[in-house]
Amino acid sequence: MSTESNAWSGTPGTHGQLGESRLRLPDVVAQSFGFMGPVFGVAFLIPLIVGAGASGQGAGVATPVAVIIAALGTLALANVIARYARRIHACGALYNYISSAAGKRAGVVAGWAYYGAAVFGFAVSTPIIVSGTLADWLAGERGIDLPWWVICIAMTALVLVIVTIGVRFSTRAQLVLVGFSAIVVLGFSVWIIIKGGHGGNSFEPFDPRSSSLKGILFGVVYGIALFIGFETAANLAEECEAPKIAIPRALTLSIVASAGYFIVCTYAQAIGFGLDAKSWATSAAPLFVLSADPKFGSVGLSSFMVVLVVLDGLAVTIGAWVATTRGLLQLSRNRVLPKLLGRTHARFGTPANAAVFVALATVAVTVIIRATHGLLSRATADPNVNLPEYFPVWTWLATLGPLLFIVVYLAISVIGLGDLWNSESRVGLTVACVVGALVSAGGVFGLVYKAPYPLNYVAPVAFAWLLVGVAIAFWLKRTGRLIEDGRLFEDDAGDGPTTAKLAAT
């Protein structure tokens, strides 16, 4: 017998009450797409898959093959998460899943890791790089000297308003921003294919023999980064009309659609660089390079692509804030974080206090970077050239965030195998969990292997962050503050998480 549990009792403006459950499939799909940032990935992440990472290894010309394998691995991971999303409808998502599967203390550690990463690795870091990119473009192409930190603070204020006004407004804003920018980039990629790139169309990018097995595996490891954030649709479960159906579908649809998009774009880039993997990998931003190529575009088109990346970055920021604020809300509900963060807006029913916290964190990091002129080293191989002021800290945070995310992915894959063993198809569950765990472990390896200074300190900081989470979990347990409200869980089949099970942990 079904027990409705995805609504938190109370009224908007009180502790923990979100707005009405009105979101549908397009909204939750937009959340996943918005967080992943498909245009941002095409612009900056693809060179890592080709071979521009610290390891010096990559898939080269066979990058589309690596993307396909990474997508299949991510689908396996999504399959594990979807099994929990059908059972548990709470805005804490992976935090609640792990709490149900492995107990409250494990859930606190996972929540601390995941939402700490969400705050600093995504919600704070994304507006920094977007603002920096926009400031550089304005100065270089338009002669407008507008400091990046001014743009960042203004962008933070804009996003704060958007996520406070309402979740539907936020998801629709993401849909418009991502949809427009991604369609233009996809159209440009198709145009490169129609033009035959430099040297004509070729099957070589889809032939694994065009690269080494080791190179492709490294490409897959870096390729996981393209799909990080697909699971954030689950943070909207409490505000969704039919979360049991919409959330699992959103996870699959977002991965499949983005995989198709990335495959087309990587193939276009491969032939656009004339199947020259070295030139491709060292291009830094291949989208900008190819759009400036007279055969495919112009300097004006390249500038327009920068604008599209900024728009996509705005969508990523909105998506990161939407997911993060709901996670902070859930942690506040369960007394892991201060109660103040759990108060929602009286009119809009959004996690307003959590949004203000994220805004203050963004402004604080921005001010620190500006006051210290970069905080971290800005040196390059050329002693006469320094990195932009905002870039080193962004790079560091943008490595820490995905690393902690993937650690939680690994945890849910390993824990899920034992927790769901007696309630799911064992063959399908085993395949999904094993592949999900392998992909996650590979992602962790890719982020820490041969990491250059100062990124070599990311792994120790991540480990220390996890230890803090462990200490908090034991302190909460010892003081009797560790709770999990069973009303957030739904058990339709009699084999899912129950209030009794949660109480026992």
Side-chain angles (χ1 to χ4, degrees), residues 60-434:
V61 173
T63 289
V65 176
V67 170
I68 293 171
I69 297 174
L72 292 174
T74 308
L75 277 172
L77 180 60
N79 183 274
V80 179
I81 295 174
R83 294 171 190 266
Y84 282 100
R86 283 191 289 268
R87 299 163 175 261
I88 303 172
H89 310 154
C91 63
L94 270 66
Y95 155 66
N96 291 107
Y97 304 164
I98 292 179
S99 293
S100 170
K104 301 173 188 177
R105 280 177 289 187
V108 169
V109 177
W112 176 259
Y114 188 87
Y115 289 108
V119 171
F120 294 101
F122 296 95
V124 169
S125 71
T126 305
I128 291 173
I129 186 62
V130 172
S131 301
T133 301
L134 180 56
D136 292 345
W137 178 77
L138 288 173
E141 300 296 329
R142 295 293 181 267
I144 301 173
D145 188 13
L146 187 60
W148 71 270
W149 57 272
V150 172
I151 299 175
C152 189
I153 292 174
M155 181 178 173
T156 299
L158 173 63
V159 176
L160 176 60
V161 172
I162 291 174
V163 299
T164 301
I165 286 177
V167 66
R168 290 193 74 183
F169 184 75
S170 299
T171 57
R172 299 300 164 86
Q174 290 180 71
L175 189 60
V176 171
L177 293 169
V178 172
F180 174 71
S181 55
I183 287 172
V184 173
V185 171
L186 182 62
F188 174 67
S189 299
V190 172
W191 175 246
I192 294 176
I193 296 171
I194 292 173
K195 297 284 286 186
H198 284 291
N201 283 288
S202 170
F203 182 73
E204 189 173 343
F206 295 103
D207 185 354
R209 294 173 298 179
S210 62
S211 181
S212 66
L213 177 60
K214 182 179 180 181
I216 290 176
L217 290 177
F218 265 100
V220 171
V221 165
Y222 293 123
I224 302 304
L226 292 173
F227 302 97
I228 286 177
F230 72 89
E231 77 288 350
T232 57
N235 291 98
L236 302 180
E238 291 182 40
E239 298 157 283
C240 186
E241 285 186 351
K244 188 181 223 179
I245 298 173
I247 301 300
R249 286 182 180 177
L251 302 182
T252 302
L253 283 173
S254 61
I255 295 172
V256 171
S258 59
Y261 170 84
F262 289 131
I263 291 167
V264 171
C265 291
T266 51
Y267 172 72
Q269 290 188 10
I271 63 172
F273 282 94
L275 303 180
D276 184 346
K278 184 176 181 180
S279 296
W280 188 8
T282 57
S283 64
L287 178 62
F288 302 154
V289 174
L290 291 175
S291 58
D293 190 323
K295 183 173 182 180
F296 313 121
S298 63
V299 174
L301 180 61
S302 182
S303 294
F304 183 60
M305 290 297 178
V306 175
V307 175
L308 293 180
V309 169
V310 170
L311 292 177
D312 189 68
L314 178 58
V316 173
T317 304
I318 296 171
W321 281 44
V322 168
T324 300
T325 54
R326 280 149 183 81
L328 296 178
L329 172 75
Q330 182 71 335
L331 290 172
S332 174
R333 285 172 171 174
N334 292 345
R335 300 180 186 176
V336 178
L337 295 178
K339 184 177 180 180
L340 185 64
L341 291 176
R343 186 167 294 277
T344 55
H345 195 281
R347 176 181 176 186
F348 302 115
T350 53
N353 284 13
V356 171
F357 170 77
V358 174
L360 291 175
T362 305
V363 172
V365 172
T366 300
V367 170
I368 290 171
I369 295 173
R370 177 57 187 158
T372 58
H373 300 290
L375 185 62
L376 301 176
S377 174
R378 298 166 57 192
T380 67
D382 185 345
N384 297 317
V385 178
N386 285 331
L387 293 170
E389 187 176 70
Y390 59 84
F391 195 80
V393 170
W394 170 75
T395 303
W396 202 92
L397 291 176
T399 304
L400 176 66
L403 177 60
L404 286 171
F405 261 43
I406 296 174
V407 167
V408 178
Y409 292 168
L410 178 60
I412 194 67
S413 297
V414 173
I415 293 170
L417 183 60
D419 181 53
L420 301 174
W421 185 254
N422 293 321
S423 59
E424 299 278 347
S425 169
R426 293 183 177 179
V427 174
L429 176 66
T430 301
V431 171
C433 289
V434 170

Side-chain angles (χ1 to χ4, degrees), residues 25-86:
L25 182 61
D27 296 296
V28 290
V29 170
Q31 169 61 31
S32 289
F33 268 121
F35 198 111
M36 285 191 290
V39 174
F40 196 87
V42 167
F44 298 116
L45 297 181
I46 287 177
L48 296 176
I49 307 173
V50 181
S55 67
Q57 301 283 340
V61 173
T63 289
V65 176
V67 170
I68 293 171
I69 297 174
L72 292 174
T74 308
L75 277 172
L77 180 60
N79 183 274
V80 179
I81 295 174
R83 294 171 190 266
Y84 282 100
R86 283 191 289 268

